[in-house]
Amino acid sequence: QVQLVESGGGLVQPGGSLRLSCAASGFTFSDFAIGWVRRAPGKGLERVSAINSGGSTTIYADSVKGRFTVSRDNAENTLYLQMNSLKPEDTAVYWCARYSVVAGSYDYWGQGTQVTVSS
């Protein structure tokens, strides 16, 4: 079955960095675009970033542009999100999700990982 497992979250001070990972299994990872989505306390879902199947195209929310970098290793079936210059407003649960072209939406999600930016 399709599984996405995030890791790498935690508590970090403002200005610090974290690297999230998303290990995928149960499907041909290299055939799918994958994204990162977050939900901050009391707010709605925000699409943070996404990367196409081959890793050649990436997109970012304006709120993270220039600070976050998404990448993938198709040989290792893993997605990454490098987060630098973290701000308190980056505090959220972060999910990785598989994008379905057929459905036109994310169809499988991981369990999420908490990122807390606080001094």
Side-chain angles (χ1 to χ4, degrees):
Q1 70 278 23
V2 174
Q3 283 195 316
L4 298 164
V5 180
E6 303 93 338
S7 61
L11 173 64
V12 62
Q13 292 187 341
S17 298
L18 279 177
R19 188 195 199 199
L20 304 184
S21 298
C22 171
S25 62
F27 65 102
T28 304
F29 183 70
S30 58
D31 283 350
F32 289 84
I34 308 287
W36 289 98
V37 183
R38 70 183 181 185
R39 176 179 279 154
K43 297 191 176 182
L45 289 174
E46 179 185 20
R47 295 187 176 195
V48 175
S49 181
I51 186 167
N52 71 335
S53 58
S56 60
T57 302
T58 57
I59 57 173
Y60 298 93
D62 287 343
S63 58
V64 306
K65 206 169 289 185
R67 300 187 298 119
F68 289 12
T69 302
V70 63
S71 62
R72 64 192 295 163
D73 184 338
N74 284 346
E76 296 294 331
N77 293 345
T78 304
L79 175 75
Y80 301 100
L81 185 67
Q82 178 67 44
M83 306 186 295
N84 298 329
S85 302
L86 282 161
K87 305 175 180 180
E89 50 264 44
D90 295 317
T91 295
V93 177
Y94 286 73
W95 292 272
C96 62
R98 189 184 81 167
Y99 186 80
S100 168
V101 172
V102 173
S105 63
Y106 290 116
D107 60 353
Y108 286 93
W109 297 64
Q111 84 287 353
T113 187
Q114 175 70 47
V115 171
T116 302
V117 185
S118 174
S119 55

